[in-house]
């Protein structure tokens, strides 16, 4: 087989066989095929597209390019959850203890990543002593005993995706549905999931800017799941404004804990109940969405969700004191109000820009080497649809560096769109694709 022939075949709009896809992924991973040939193939795929058979074959080829986590020693159906990424998205911190409190095993491998705030692991490190440096045996043991564990990525999962994604990033070939969907699904499958719930975000703070694109991506991932024997459900949800109120690591941990005791923002709770009930269904612990939703709500009401959270934090070395008293979490030196200079209704909050503002305050990494400031970020006081008077507080800046406050203030004001009339209502949940 020659890579050259595969490029010509796809360039001419023909289908690639599974053998051909396996050949190119295997040899690219080993370093036997140069980047320039793979970029040519990526561009051919970008224009000529791949069908679902090719996309599913590509997914499994990427899965098989590295280790596949063996979670067979964990009893029960392992349901994983993945979000395509949003600003202030605290759902994992809320959902995992709620679902685990129902006896469903949650075994998560997480990364740190770049972006407006840290990843789930960074956020959890707001707890003194908390560590994800646990062995695979401890990980499996914790899931079997308390139903919830999170470990840092140690195994060499989907190495082909790392190379491909980096190459696509610099060759204008990221936004192709087959390439995105296989990239996301391969990582979940390699991490050992039996079933997967996806939260596909749509809006200006998301990867997919339109509902049509988000739906196409969701459908592609659900089909891959079906083709490779991992039942998959996708929720399509709004990211045209930040989710919840907090953007920042310790701030989001606090928001998550508030939500676990029934005192969190409504939109965050609603999304957690929607995504969570699909997880409960896939784990076969409920037979209807309504039943699953009631079960999840009960974990908040009877305190089992927050107890599970505490059990999980302490099992991985974290401070129980900080769970009992969130005031002990990292705190910023300065908390500054941002006051509106206009009156009207909030019609838009630019999610992407708010994320960047939090990052500039130190909440996220621009490069892998950057150190995160866990305490800083932004807490919204007004959301879309809210009425605002002149001088009313629309948000709070949490900062440790005084010199960054003025710019953050200006940027926040610029990114709140306040209009005389309330805008049409944008739904939080657009769709559930199964
Ligand atoms: N996220 C991924 O993991 N892969 C893509 O290709 C795009 C977004
Ligand atoms: Ca939030």
């Amino acid at each position: 087989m020659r890579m050259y022939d595969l490029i010509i075949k796809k360039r001419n709009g023909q289908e690639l066989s599974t053998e051909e896809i396996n050949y190119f992924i295997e040899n690219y991973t080993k370093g036997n095929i140069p980047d320039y040939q793979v970029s040519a193939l990526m561009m051919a795929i970008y224009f000529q597209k791949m069908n679902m058979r090719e996309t599913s074959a590509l997914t499994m080829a990427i899965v098989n390019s590295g280790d596949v986590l063996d979670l067979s020693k964990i009893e029960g159906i392992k349901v994983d959850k993945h979000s395509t990424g949003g600003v202030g998205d605290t759902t994992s911190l809320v959902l995992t203890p709620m679902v685990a409190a129902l006896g469903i095993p949650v075994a998560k491998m997480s990364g740190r990543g770049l972006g407006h705030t840290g990843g789930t692991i960074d956020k959890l490190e707001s707890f003194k002593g908390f560590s994800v440096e646990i062995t695979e045996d401890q990980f499996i043991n914790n899931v079997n005993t308390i139903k919830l564990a999170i470990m840092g990525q140690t195994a060499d999962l989907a190495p082909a995706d790392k190379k491909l994604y980096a190459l696509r990033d610099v060759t204008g070939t990221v936004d192709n549905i087959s390439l995105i969907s296989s990239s996301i699904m391969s990582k979940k499958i390699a991490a050992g999931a039996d079933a997967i719930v996806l939260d596909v975000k749509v809006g200006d703070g998301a990867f997919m800017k339109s509902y049509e694109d988000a739906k196409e991506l969701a459908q592609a991932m659900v089909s891959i799941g079906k083709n490779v024997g991992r039942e998959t459900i996708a929720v399509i949800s709004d990211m045209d404004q930040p989710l919840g109120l907090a953007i920042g690591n310790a701030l989001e941990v606090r928001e998550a804990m508030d939500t676990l005791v029934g005192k969190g923002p409504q939109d965050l709770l609603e999304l957690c109940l929607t995504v969570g009930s699909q997880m409960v269904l896939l784990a076969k612990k409920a037979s209807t969405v309504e039943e699953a939703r009631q079960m999840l709500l009960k974990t908040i009401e009877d305190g089992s969700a927050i107890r599970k959270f505490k059990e999980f934090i302490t099992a991985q070395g974290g401070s129980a004191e900080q769970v009992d008293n969130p005031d002990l979490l990292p705190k910023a030196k300065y908390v500054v109000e941002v006051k509106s200079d206009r009156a009207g209704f909030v019609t838009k909050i630019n999610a992407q820009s708010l994320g960047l503002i939090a990052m500039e305050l130190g909440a996220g990494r621009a490069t892998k080497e950057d150190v995160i400031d866990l305490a800083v970020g932004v807490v919204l006081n007004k959301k879309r649809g809210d009425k605002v008077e002149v001088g009313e507080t629309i948000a709070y800046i949490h900062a440790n560096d005084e010199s960054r406050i003025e710019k953050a203030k200006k940027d926040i004001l610029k990114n709140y769109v306040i209009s005389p009339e309330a805008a049409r209502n944008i739904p939080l949940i657009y769709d559930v694709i199964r």
Side-chain angles (χ1 to χ4, degrees):
M1 228 177 265
R2 292 194 312 166
M3 187 62 182
Y4 177 81
D5 300 323
L6 269 59
I7 297 169
I8 298 296
K9 202 172 170 188
K10 188 41 84 181
R11 186 201 68 187
N12 293 345
Q14 288 171 273
E15 241 183 80
L16 298 178
S17 70
T18 300
E19 292 68 38
E20 287 166 331
I21 291 170
N22 288 340
Y23 163 82
F24 120 70
I25 290 295
E26 191 184 325
N27 284 287
Y28 183 49
T29 310
K30 285 185 183 153
N32 298 338
I33 301 175
D35 280 349
Y36 54 81
Q37 281 192 307
V38 177
S39 10
L41 181 64
M42 290 297 112
M43 192 56 88
I45 291 172
Y46 178 88
F47 280 111
Q48 295 289 4
K49 307 204 165 41
M50 293 205 302
N51 63 26
M52 280 319 303
R53 186 202 56 75
E54 290 173 291
T55 307
S56 304
L58 177 61
T59 306
M60 289 316 290
I62 298 174
V63 169
N64 293 322
S65 71
D67 299 336
V68 177
L69 218 60
D70 178 9
L71 300 181
S72 58
K73 281 192 231 136
I74 297 173
E75 306 127 35
I77 302 171
K78 278 77 69 187
V79 185
D80 205 350
K81 170 251 166 193
H82 178 81
S83 154
T84 60
V87 177
D89 188 352
T90 322
T91 48
S92 281
L93 291 177
V94 181
L95 261 175
T96 50
M98 280 170 83
V99 171
L102 294 175
I104 297 167
V106 181
K108 255 192 127 36
M109 239 197 204
S110 255
R112 290 178 195 276
L114 304 175
H116 355 94
T117 60
T120 299
I121 291 181
D122 298 294
K123 292 175 192 175
L124 287 168
E125 283 174 352
S126 299
F127 292 100
K128 255 180 278 164
F130 182 89
S131 171
V132 292
E133 312 295 318
I134 51 177
T135 64
E136 221 169 289
D137 281 346
Q138 279 174 303
F139 177 65
I140 288 171
N141 191 38
N142 281 10
V143 179
N144 275 332
T145 51
I146 70 170
K147 300 296 167 196
L148 172 56
I150 297 186
M151 85 186 278
Q153 193 169 312
T154 48
D156 190 23
L157 300 184
D161 177 66
K162 283 192 198 87
K163 284 186 83 170
L164 272 180
Y165 200 3
L167 186 70
R168 286 164 55 215
D169 209 22
V170 293
T171 54
T173 50
V174 169
D175 46 348
N176 167 273
I177 295 285
S178 290
L179 297 178
I180 300 171
S181 57
S182 57
S183 165
I184 294 173
M185 289 295 283
S186 64
K187 285 173 277 198
K188 291 286 119 181
I189 295 167
D194 297 321
I196 300 158
V197 181
L198 300 157
D199 178 13
V200 179
K201 307 281 193 191
V202 57
D204 103 86
F207 204 62
M208 294 287 148
K209 309 291 179 201
S210 76
Y211 169 68
E212 287 68 31
D213 288 348
K215 186 166 180 181
E216 202 186 337
L217 177 63
Q219 281 170 335
M221 293 193 286
V222 170
S223 310
I224 292 173
K226 188 168 180 210
N227 290 346
V228 306
R230 305 292 202 291
E231 207 179 336
T232 302
I233 295 176
V235 172
I236 301 179
S237 73
D238 173 53
M239 192 31 77
D240 220 36
Q241 69 175 345
L243 183 68
L245 301 171
I247 311 165
N249 300 281
L251 295 169
E252 287 182 39
V253 166
R254 187 168 189 141
E255 177 171 75
M257 290 201 291
D258 286 345
T259 308
L260 288 171
V261 296
K263 293 179 182 153
Q266 192 51 39
D267 61 342
L268 176 59
L269 174 66
E270 183 53 38
L271 182 61
C272 289
L273 291 173
T274 305
V275 173
S277 48
Q278 299 300 335
M279 293 174 76
V280 175
L281 281 182
L282 285 180
K284 305 204 189 304
K285 291 277 183 181
S287 42
T288 66
V289 174
E290 193 45 41
E291 185 192 353
R293 202 181 156 91
Q294 291 311 320
M295 289 163 71
L296 288 164
L297 273 171
K298 189 146 180 290
T299 67
I300 294 178
E301 285 156 13
D302 66 12
S304 57
I306 192 74
R307 277 200 302 277
K308 184 55 71 183
F309 186 71
K310 184 171 168 182
E311 207 178 351
F312 153 66
I313 293 296
T314 50
Q316 295 193 209
S319 148
E321 224 189 335
Q322 287 174 305
V323 182
D324 292 333
N325 183 3
D327 278 337
L328 300 175
L329 287 167
K331 264 193 180 157
K333 224 186 298 173
Y334 306 98
V335 180
V336 181
E337 290 169 288
V338 181
K339 295 192 166 151
S340 181
D341 49 5
R342 286 150 293 164
F345 293 89
V346 178
T347 51
K348 187 163 172 53
I349 305 170
N350 288 310
Q352 192 69 42
S353 308
L354 264 291
L356 274 177
I357 296 165
M359 190 167 107
E360 283 173 5
L361 288 166
R365 295 184 185 87
T367 71
K368 264 194 288 202
E369 289 70 35
D370 288 353
V371 177
I372 283 184
D373 185 339
L374 292 166
V376 304
V378 178
V379 177
L380 311 181
N381 195 45
K382 296 283 179 183
K383 298 247 328 200
R384 207 171 49 213
D386 287 347
K387 194 162 185 283
V388 182
E389 303 295 345
V390 176
E392 235 191 312
T393 303
I394 54 172
Y396 299 90
I397 295 167
H398 292 243
N400 274 327
D401 179 351
E402 201 176 1
S403 70
R404 300 192 195 181
I405 294 173
E406 272 319 300
K407 178 170 189 303
K409 233 187 220 180
K410 276 199 202 96
D411 289 344
I412 290 172
L413 281 169
K414 206 164 61 195
N415 284 291
Y416 258 82
V417 182
I418 296 172
S419 314
E421 308 270 322
R424 80 186 160 85
N425 193 28
I426 298 179
L428 171 67
I429 311 292
Y430 282 85
D431 223 337
V432 178
I433 312 272
R434 30 188 334 160

